[in-house]
Amino acid sequence: MGKDGRVSTDASAAAVEPVQPAEPAQAAEPQAVAATLTKAAIFLVAVISPGAGSESAARQLCADLAGLVRAVGFRDLSGRLTCVTGLGASAFDRLTGLARPAGLHPFRELRAGGRHAVSTPGDLLFHIRATRMDLCFELASLITQRLDGVGSIVDEVHGFSYFDERDLLGFVDGTENPTGAGAVRATIIGDEEPAYAGGSYVIVQKYLHDLAGWNALPVEEQEKIIGRTKLSDVELDDAVKPSSAHNALTTIVVDGEEVDIVRDNMPFGQVGSGEYGTYFIGYARSPATTEQMLENMFIGSPPGNYDRILDFSTAVTGTLFFVPSQTLLDSLADDDDDDDDAANDTTTTSGATAPAGAAGDGSLNIGSLRGDASR
């Protein structure tokens, strides 16, 4: 969760030829991390099966995603379909062979009293957004088809916009999100990690709410827990706002300056089973900011002064991902392609005839899903 946004290297990695990140002097294109909020979203977390074949297929999927988004999104350009792809710590090792980004590690579990920020598995995150759920659903279907036999979906959440951007607790969610250039500054890595400029970090958690217990509280008590008025979404005055208020604990100040993250939280639920919740997703140029927010919430600041929203909300997942730049993501399958080209070269030089119309590099000039972004 966040302010007003309720929130080892595998042995196989040694065999992966390192993917060369863009030169620091070149501007790497970020993924759509700072895209404006939408009315619909699907969150997929996947685990890649063991084996070089599965890893190669996962790399190819990552490299093809931009083309898949174009193919589905072209059906309705006003639908603003995007997909942000993140790699967990182990997956980054297995798929790239590069040194991990400075802030990438398994999600750090937190325990205090009965509160528990759990750490759950996740190699790949697909954050799919659009103004229409059918666009999200179609892209999610194509992704899961590509994962068949090479990985499995371990968590799937379909999020929706709830009235005037409220969560299921009844409060406006994400009021303090930075926008425009401010969102880019908050989320996109710059000179502090030049090898991974254009990338980002994202933490996801799925929270389940005890709505019956929450709704039994007087509105005034709810407002003190959140730190804002329920109807008008006005921040409570410091004279009446408790130090344990959600927005107080998730305000992070470094050297006198407030440090922002971008949340794209979405409500979700199943009325038949009585499951109601918030999917927290927080992007930042360093995970340390979000991790400090979570420590304040679960442990307390000072310890014991914890976020009372956790008396009614339970985290059932928790994973940290690195979001590579679009430039790096597109290049993930390049080494596999180079291996194929080398095999083709060996075949043709041994006397076989290259297919008619083939280019000098062995391709058929048909192109791929990645293609040229200008086409």
Side-chain angles (χ1 to χ4, degrees):
M1 297 188 180
K3 185 179 64 176
D4 299 305
R6 269 78 64 191
V7 114
S8 69
T9 303
D10 292 352
S12 59
V16 178
E17 286 295 324
V19 178
Q20 295 302 318
E23 293 294 330
Q26 299 174 344
E29 177 190 357
Q31 293 192 58
V33 167
T36 54
L37 306 186
T38 57
K39 295 293 185 181
I42 293 180
F43 307 92
L44 300 176
V45 176
V47 170
I48 304 167
S49 302
S54 296
E55 292 163 6
S56 178
R59 281 193 291 272
Q60 190 63 60
L61 171 59
C62 290
D64 287 347
L65 271 168
L68 293 174
V69 172
R70 286 195 297 272
V72 176
F74 191 73
R75 302 183 189 187
D76 179 6
L77 295 177
S78 66
R80 303 194 346 251
L81 177 67
T82 61
C83 179
V84 174
T85 304
L87 280 67
S90 175
F92 189 90
D93 298 338
R94 295 169 65 189
L95 300 187
T96 74
L98 294 168
R100 283 185 190 174
L104 182 59
H105 51 259
F107 181 87
R108 290 170 178 155
E109 236 179 325
L110 296 169
R111 286 181 181 271
R115 303 174 299 282
H116 185 195
V118 298
S119 177
T120 51
D123 289 330
L124 295 172
L125 167 71
F126 303 100
H127 177 199
I128 305 169
R129 289 180 280 189
T131 61
R132 296 169 45 175
M133 179 56 79
D134 55 349
L135 293 173
C136 296
F137 188 85
E138 179 70 8
L139 181 57
S141 298
L142 293 175
I143 290 171
T144 54
Q145 288 171 24
R146 292 283 296 270
L147 286 171
D148 187 30
V150 302
S152 57
I153 303 296
V154 294
D155 192 40
E156 175 179 353
V157 173
H158 293 216
F160 55 87
S161 181
Y162 190 59
F163 296 111
D164 50 337
E165 306 304 330
R166 294 179 184 267
D167 57 24
L168 295 182
L169 300 179
F171 285 78
V172 174
D173 192 348
T175 301
E176 299 295 334
N177 256 355
T179 58
V184 172
R185 285 193 300 272
T187 59
I188 304 302
I189 296 169
D191 294 339
E192 71 273 23
E193 281 194 85
Y196 294 111
S200 185
Y201 295 92
V202 61
I203 287 178
V204 298
Q205 291 178 293
K206 181 165 69 175
Y207 286 85
L208 298 181
H209 302 319
D210 171 15
L211 285 191
W214 176 260
N215 290 329
L217 292 178
V219 170
E220 183 176 326
E221 186 64 25
Q222 293 179 3
E223 292 176 337
K224 288 182 178 179
I225 291 174
I226 301 300
R228 304 186 77 89
T229 58
K230 191 169 187 177
L231 179 62
S232 59
D233 188 38
V234 175
E235 185 170 0
L236 297 183
D237 188 273
D238 288 342
V240 298
K241 181 170 62 177
S243 60
S244 62
H246 179 73
N247 61 358
L249 291 173
T250 56
T251 297
I252 306 301
V253 178
V254 177
D255 295 330
E257 183 176 348
E258 187 173 338
V259 183
D260 288 323
I261 69 171
V262 169
R263 309 156 191 80
D264 202 356
N265 303 349
M266 298 291 276
F268 68 91
Q270 296 182 3
V271 294
S273 60
E275 180 181 274
Y276 305 97
T278 296
Y279 198 89
F280 165 73
I281 178 165
Y283 291 99
R285 62 194 299 166
S286 167
T289 304
T290 313
E291 289 171 337
Q292 185 62 60
M293 291 179 177
L294 295 177
E295 184 171 336
N296 291 352
M297 289 173 59
F298 282 83
I299 306 299
S301 179
N305 188 49
Y306 70 92
D307 191 339
R308 267 54 181 182
I309 199 174
L310 296 176
D311 292 340
F312 305 91
S313 299
T314 302
V316 294
T317 68
T319 318
L320 166 64
F321 298 91
F322 176 70
V323 178
S325 68
Q326 189 66 53
T327 308
L328 178 54
L329 190 71
D330 288 346
S331 73
L332 282 182
D334 285 353
D335 288 323
D336 292 330
D337 292 342
D338 290 343
D339 291 342
D340 291 341
D341 289 343
N344 289 336
D345 289 343
T346 301
T347 302
T348 54
T349 55
S350 66
T353 303
D361 64 358
S363 73
L364 296 176
N365 284 328
I366 296 174
S368 69
L369 281 171
R370 278 192 287 163
D372 187 328
S374 64
R375 293 178 183 173

